[in-house]
């Protein structure tokens, strides 16, 4: 493996970025207004992306498009937002919306395709006269540009399989006839063609999506000339348009899951570019003919993943895949990295596969993504965040970033989770990434428009077109604060988990480590330098299941080596404890559903330590027992950091609430509506009520299709000496913001819906609760519970 470009551009701000979709007809005012909303929501930056639905008037990489990019970047500079430029029209990256192939059709993505022919050579044939051998004319349909690369005969078992190691490279005669000069017996003859893959990308315009005849052709990312054309058409155009902003406001270029074959490629295709067989031969120190003879083995397994290779491959297939990956790194990623470094930018984004550690490491700011509800809160092993290739994504990004020297780890998150995505799920997913070391999540996505079908293209929108948009800023602020904490004191990872370059491990060993609060990083077993800094290296191949991993003994080994170790007593398997470096403290994330109450045995706790809630940005005192342990009480979807108080006010540990007053008389008024305000009451026709009370508003005639926000108000008489109070909202559908006498005091984006109100002055106080429901009720006709259901109570 060649070294990544060691030059690292200046690091941009860590924290949440907004993935902006330009998916309609754009104008200056609309572009600027959206960026201002994003800035006010607390994001540190944006990723600007042309997306399916972009108007033809604007076009992609046209003068008008680049002018609008300049308008956007100028505004980001004024607002203090960092900018990542997205390097493609949609995805996968590398084709410049088809312009690379339009410039040179020979630059289209290539592949190997196999055609087979079963032959039975009778005993006694062929005779000593070569003229007795039969012929076969292999053909790949009517593909005029396909090139017959090799024809190989292998012994057949007569049932579609091959037996033995005999492989005969057969001669080809003009005009494409193969002489079947084979010994007697059953043979499977395989013709291997070099052909265009037929793969496409998702283009920028509505008529260029998957399945369309106008979908842009994918370029050959293994071809240096094609990659050079891509950089000229995209990167150079941005550089010319943005000038002095590169390396200042513009901090990175985002490349999105480059896919060697393209989408919708030929069935059973294998990645290829002319001359690849010579590279494999050189790596194996054999003749090219020996490589050609073995090409049919590429179809003996289960096939390739979207990234183009098979991580479970062995033997020749593994050698071929290694050559493909090495060439992709050298030709595509390293060329991009060199361009970015020369212009003061970081190359970021993510590879096509979630567990591809070696490819993520080619990026200056390594990244990954998690989309399509592949990872969710809950116990389903398929989506648990611990099992399966998708579960490795955050640690892959963070481990590759750490190997590069502590640069930001990036993730594209929440994409295509659908309009049913809740803030509860969003917070869990963001914590899932943060707890594993990712500091720069790119929240997918912020649509310019939901006109027509745009509302259903990689939905949901997270901005103005979502009903819970008013409640997103507190979550954004939380992510920013935690990311900055983790960036300032990078987590201590005492254990290195050995990984294949393109298949990071998950499952029992990972589960055992996480549930015992032992943090780890992935270590590329092919990169000796990657092991630096780890106290213990574990090989998952040596630990067949969780029971075989003695975590107690491992912790003793770590303590003996001076590594900080966290123990939870009683055990808390849903706790993800992060140890901050340089004694900066600890962060406790909750990945389960039931409340956690445990005592933490920690290596050290400063005298002025406090529990800091980064969501509310408040602090409370630490409770210790006689053994020096620290009490941790953590509700679901909550995070606490044990850090020095450094002069911040710290609330004492108060007694449990002894008083409870139910709050009644709530009157709700519709304040914000998605879509046409008159449309949600038309099925069946009903009069929208002026006010609603506690309960699910989807059960109220005229409101059952309402997605938006309702503001509930009530008065409560606060007695003298009530002290610090809390408002328990009961059941909420699905996010709430609480105000007292017109001043916002807290947010509750997920259960338990409880907000600390602080010390209330005695007398009559007005409580307001703004509740927003799921956008799925409007966009998809769901009847998800909506509103302030309650019961609501004041406790002190």
């Amino acid at each position: 493996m060649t070294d990544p470009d060691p030059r690292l551009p200046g690091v941009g701000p860590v924290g949440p970025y907004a993935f902006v979709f330009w998916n309609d007809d754009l104008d200056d005012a609309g572009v600027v207004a959206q960026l201002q909303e994003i800035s006010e929501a607390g994001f540190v930056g944006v990723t600007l992306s042309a997306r399916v639905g972009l108007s033809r008037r604007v076009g992609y990489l046209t003068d008008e498009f680049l002018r609008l990019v300049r308008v956007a970047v100028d505004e980001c500079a004024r607002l203090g937002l960092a900018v990542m430029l997205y390097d493609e029209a949609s995805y996968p990256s590398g084709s410049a919306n088809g312009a690379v192939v339009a410039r040179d059709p020979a630059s289209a993505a290539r592949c190997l395709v196999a055609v087979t022919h079963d032959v039975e050579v009778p005993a006694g044939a062929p005779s000593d006269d070569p003229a007795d051998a039969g012929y076969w004319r292999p053909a790949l349909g009517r593909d005029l540009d396909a090139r017959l690369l090799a024809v190989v005969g292998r012994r057949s078992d007569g049932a579609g399989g091959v037996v033995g190691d005999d492989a005969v490279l057969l001669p080809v005669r003009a005009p494409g006839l193969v002489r079947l000069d084979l010994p007697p017996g059953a043979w499977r003859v395989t013709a291997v063609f070099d052909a265009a893959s037929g793969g496409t990308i998702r283009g920028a315009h509505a008529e260029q999506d998957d399945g369309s005849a106008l979908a842009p052709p994918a370029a050959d990312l293994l071809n240096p000339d094609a990659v050079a054309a891509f950089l000229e058409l995209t990167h150079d155009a941005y550089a010319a348009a943005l000038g002095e902003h590169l390396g200042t406001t513009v901090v990175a270029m985002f490349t999105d899951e480059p896919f060697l074959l393209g989408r919708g490629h030929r069935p059973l295709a294998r990645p290829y570019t002319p001359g690849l067989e010579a590279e494999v031969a050189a790596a194996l120190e054999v003749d090219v003919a020996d490589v050609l003879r073995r090409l049919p083995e590429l179809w003996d397994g289960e096939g390739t993943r979207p990234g183009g290779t098979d991580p479970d491959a062995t033997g020749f297939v593994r050698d071929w895949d290694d050559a493909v990956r090495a060439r992709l790194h050298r030709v595509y990623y390293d060329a991009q990295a060199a361009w970015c470094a020369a212009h003061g930018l970081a190359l970021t984004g993510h590879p096509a596969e979630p567990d591809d550690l070696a490819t993520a490491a080619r990026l200056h700011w390594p990244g990954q993504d998690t989309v399509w509800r592949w990872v969710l809160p809950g116990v389903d092993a398929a989506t648990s965040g611990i099992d399966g290739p998708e579960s490795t994504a955050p640690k892959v990004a963070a481990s590759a970033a750490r190997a590069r020297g502590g640069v930001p780890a990036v993730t594209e998150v929440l994409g295509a989770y659908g309009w049913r995505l809740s803030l509860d799920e969003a917070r869990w997913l963001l914590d899932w990434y943060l707890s594993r070391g990712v500091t720069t999540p790119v929240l997918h996505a912020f649509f310019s428009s939901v006109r027509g079908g745009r509302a259903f293209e990689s939905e949901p929108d997270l901005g103005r077109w979502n009903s819970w948009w008013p409640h997103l800023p507190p979550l954004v602020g939380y992510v920013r604060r935690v990311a900055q904490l983790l960036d300032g004191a990078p987590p201590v990872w005492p254990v290195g988990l050995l990984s294949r370059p393109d298949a990071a491990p998950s499952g029992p060993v990972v589960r055992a480590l996480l549930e015992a609060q032992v943090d780890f990083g992935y270590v590329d077993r092919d990169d000796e330098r990657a092991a630096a800094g780890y106290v213990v290296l574990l090989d998952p191949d040596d630990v067949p299941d969780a029971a075989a991993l003695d975590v107690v003994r491992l912790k003793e080994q770590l303590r003996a080596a001076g590594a900080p170790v966290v123990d939870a007593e009683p055990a808390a398997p849903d706790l993800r404890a992060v140890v901050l470096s340089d004694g900066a403290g600890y962060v406790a994330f909750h990945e389960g559903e039931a409340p956690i109450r445990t005592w933490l045995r920690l290596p050290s706790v400063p005298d002025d330590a406090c529990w800091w809630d980064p969501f509310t940005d408040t602090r409370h005192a630490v409770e210790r027992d006689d053994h020096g342990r620290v009490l941790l009480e953590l509700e679901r979807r909550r995070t606490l950091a044990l850090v020095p108080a450094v002069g911040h006010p710290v609330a004492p540990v108060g007694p449990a609430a002894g008083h409870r007053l139910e709050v009644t008389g709530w009157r709700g008024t519709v304040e914000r509506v998605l879509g046409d305000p008159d449309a949600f009451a038309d099925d069946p026709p009903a009069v929208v009520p002026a006010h609603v009370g506690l309960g699910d508003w989807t059960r109220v005639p005229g409101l059952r299709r309402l997605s938006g926000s309702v503001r509930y108000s009530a008065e409560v008489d606060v007695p003298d000496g009530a002290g610090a109070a809390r408002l328990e909202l009961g059941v909420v559908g699905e996010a709430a913001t609480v105000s007292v006498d017109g001043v916002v005091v807290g947010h509750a984006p997920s259960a338990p819906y409880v907000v600390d109100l602080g010390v209330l002055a005695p007398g009559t106080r007005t409580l307001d609760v703004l509740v927003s429901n799921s956008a799925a009720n409007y966009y998809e006709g769901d009847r998800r519970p909506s509103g302030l259901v309650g019961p609501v109570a004041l406790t002190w």
Side-chain angles (χ1 to χ4, degrees):
M1 185 175 76
T2 59
D3 289 338
D5 188 329
R7 295 170 294 172
L8 292 178
V11 174
V14 299
Y17 283 63
F19 206 151
V20 176
F21 279 9
W22 283 1
N23 64 346
D24 208 330
D25 200 35
L26 306 173
D27 59 30
D28 296 28
V31 166
V32 168
Q34 185 180 31
L35 293 172
Q36 290 173 349
E37 288 179 347
I38 288 169
S39 176
E40 291 168 2
F43 285 90
V44 302
V46 296
T47 302
L48 299 177
S49 172
R51 195 71 179 194
V52 175
L54 182 69
S55 72
R56 283 287 183 178
R57 183 193 68 81
V58 172
Y60 177 62
L61 297 178
T62 62
D63 290 345
E64 175 63 4
F65 176 84
L66 293 170
R67 187 192 68 79
L68 286 166
V69 171
R70 178 73 192 214
V71 167
V73 175
D74 284 345
E75 180 63 14
C76 287
R78 189 187 72 81
L79 295 169
L81 290 172
V83 176
M84 297 179 184
L85 297 172
Y86 191 86
D87 70 359
E88 186 51 81
S90 187
Y91 66 90
S93 290
S95 304
N97 204 42
V100 171
V101 179
R103 174 182 287 188
D104 180 7
S107 293
R110 309 296 297 177
C111 69
L112 296 181
V113 184
V115 177
T116 60
H117 177 55
D118 291 321
V119 176
E120 183 72 38
V121 179
S127 70
D128 292 338
D129 185 354
D132 288 343
Y135 287 89
W136 172 47
R137 179 186 171 274
L140 195 62
R142 296 180 177 178
D143 191 330
L144 302 183
D145 296 323
R147 176 173 65 105
L148 186 55
L149 187 62
V151 181
V152 181
R154 296 188 293 170
R155 291 281 185 181
S156 170
D157 62 7
V162 294
V163 295
D165 296 326
D166 290 346
V168 180
L169 191 62
L170 296 172
V172 179
R173 299 285 185 267
L177 295 177
V178 179
R179 193 175 71 188
L180 301 175
D181 189 4
L182 296 165
W187 292 84
R188 165 148 288 193
V189 182
T190 302
V192 179
F193 287 89
D194 160 24
S197 74
T200 61
I201 70 164
R202 301 191 69 206
H205 306 299
E207 68 278 9
Q208 293 182 319
D209 207 348
D210 287 337
S212 168
L214 298 178
D220 182 359
L221 306 186
L222 302 177
N223 178 344
D225 292 337
V227 173
F230 171 62
L231 294 175
E232 178 188 339
L233 290 162
T234 55
H235 297 47
D236 288 350
Y238 280 127
L242 298 176
E244 74 282 3
H245 282 305
L246 267 65
T248 53
T249 301
V250 180
V251 297
M253 185 72 75
F254 192 105
T255 194
D256 198 349
E257 54 188 50
F259 185 0
L260 293 175
L261 296 169
R263 298 166 67 86
H265 58 78
R266 292 176 186 265
L268 303 179
R270 300 293 184 263
Y272 180 73
T273 197
L276 186 60
E277 64 276 17
E279 288 191 23
V280 176
L284 298 179
E285 298 181 344
V286 298
D287 293 336
V288 171
D290 293 325
V291 172
L292 297 177
R293 190 178 292 109
R294 302 193 65 178
L295 287 181
E297 295 178 30
L298 298 178
W299 289 269
D300 288 346
E302 295 295 324
T304 63
R305 302 192 298 179
T309 59
D310 177 4
D312 295 323
T314 58
F316 174 76
V317 180
R318 164 57 61 184
D319 295 332
W320 182 270
D321 284 357
D322 286 347
V324 169
R325 188 174 65 253
R327 187 173 176 105
L328 177 65
H329 291 172
R330 183 179 74 253
V331 171
Y332 182 79
Y333 283 100
D334 291 357
Q336 282 237 56
W339 189 98
C340 288
H343 290 80
L345 308 183
L347 175 62
T348 191
H350 57 87
E353 302 295 350
D355 52 353
D356 189 341
L357 182 62
T359 301
R362 311 310 292 187
L363 303 167
H364 292 131
W365 300 352
Q368 275 296 348
D369 78 335
T370 305
V371 294
W372 292 112
R373 304 187 75 83
W374 288 333
V375 174
L376 292 167
V379 296
D380 185 343
T383 59
S384 69
I386 292 179
D387 300 284
E390 296 298 332
S391 73
T392 67
K395 277 292 186 185
V396 164
S399 299
R402 184 159 298 196
R404 293 215 65 152
V407 299
V410 177
T411 174
E412 177 188 333
V413 66
L414 308 182
Y417 267 67
W419 289 111
R420 292 176 175 82
L421 177 72
S422 65
L423 276 174
D424 182 279
E425 291 175 324
R427 174 156 183 180
W428 184 93
L429 284 158
L430 290 164
D431 280 348
W432 180 67
Y433 267 100
L434 290 166
S435 67
R436 286 154 173 79
V438 170
T439 56
T440 305
V442 180
L443 276 62
H444 178 306
F446 291 78
F447 296 2
S448 294
S449 169
V450 291
R451 184 171 63 88
R454 289 166 178 81
F456 308 99
E457 195 277 301
S458 297
E459 67 273 18
D461 169 69
L462 303 178
R464 69 180 78 169
W465 311 114
N466 201 309
S467 49
W468 43 250
W469 165 240
H471 309 274
L472 187 65
L475 184 58
V476 171
Y478 159 79
V479 173
R480 186 181 66 252
R481 287 187 282 271
V482 175
Q484 291 170 352
L485 176 67
L486 298 175
D487 181 65
V492 177
W493 292 351
V495 173
L497 205 56
L498 295 180
S499 170
R500 287 179 292 177
D502 58 346
S506 62
V509 175
V510 168
R511 180 182 296 275
L513 293 173
L514 291 175
E515 292 183 346
Q517 291 79 53
V518 178
D519 217 340
F520 70 93
Y522 288 124
V523 176
D524 185 342
R525 64 172 74 242
D526 289 353
D527 186 352
E528 295 178 357
R529 301 163 303 172
Y534 293 99
V535 177
V536 173
L537 295 179
L538 283 182
D539 189 341
D541 294 341
D542 297 336
V543 188
D545 53 50
L549 179 62
D550 188 340
V551 177
V552 173
R553 182 179 177 184
L554 174 62
K555 285 189 169 184
E556 292 173 352
Q557 184 180 357
L558 293 173
R559 284 193 188 93
V565 174
V566 174
D567 286 313
E569 301 166 348
D574 291 331
L575 172 64
R576 301 292 173 261
V578 172
V579 180
L580 301 176
S581 58
D582 301 323
Y586 311 86
V587 187
F589 296 89
H590 193 336
E591 206 159 289
E593 299 300 318
I596 292 174
R597 189 180 193 278
T598 189
W599 293 90
L600 298 181
R601 191 179 298 278
L602 302 170
S604 62
V605 180
D607 291 337
D608 68 337
C610 65
W611 284 116
W612 173 49
D613 183 336
F615 185 79
T616 61
D617 197 16
T618 57
R619 291 164 173 81
H620 66 266
V622 173
E623 183 177 345
R624 297 175 171 89
D625 68 3
D626 295 339
H627 305 287
R629 300 180 306 176
V630 172
L631 178 64
L632 172 64
E633 294 183 303
L634 200 58
E635 294 282 359
R636 71 185 294 278
R637 307 295 185 269
R638 297 296 191 268
T639 300
L640 289 174
L642 188 66
V643 295
V646 292
H648 292 283
V650 177
V653 177
H659 300 85
R660 186 177 192 276
L661 174 64
E662 187 165 348
V663 183
T664 58
W666 293 95
R667 288 165 62 86
T669 304
V670 176
E671 183 168 294
R672 183 171 180 268
V673 176
L674 290 188
D676 183 352
D678 297 323
F680 62 80
D682 67 354
D683 185 19
V687 176
V688 177
H691 301 285
V692 296
L694 296 186
D696 182 353
W697 78 51
T698 68
R699 303 301 174 186
V700 177
L703 297 181
R704 71 178 202 156
R705 290 181 55 220
L706 167 66
S707 284
S709 304
V710 171
R711 185 175 296 278
Y712 298 82
S713 296
E715 292 186 342
V716 63
D717 290 325
V718 179
D720 290 336
R726 308 178 85 195
L727 191 64
E728 298 177 356
L729 299 176
V731 176
V732 174
E734 62 182 39
T737 294
V738 176
S739 301
V740 177
D741 294 339
V743 178
V744 174
V745 295
H747 307 273
S750 58
Y753 293 99
V754 178
V755 174
D756 289 322
L757 305 182
V759 177
L760 295 180
T764 301
R765 307 269 72 83
T766 299
L767 303 178
D768 285 342
V769 183
L770 182 71
V771 176
S772 303
N773 70 336
S774 172
N777 290 25
Y778 171 73
Y779 289 109
E780 300 186 1
D782 267 12
R783 296 285 293 277
R784 297 171 76 88
S786 304
L788 184 58
V789 179
V792 182
L794 189 70
T795 63
W796 67 93

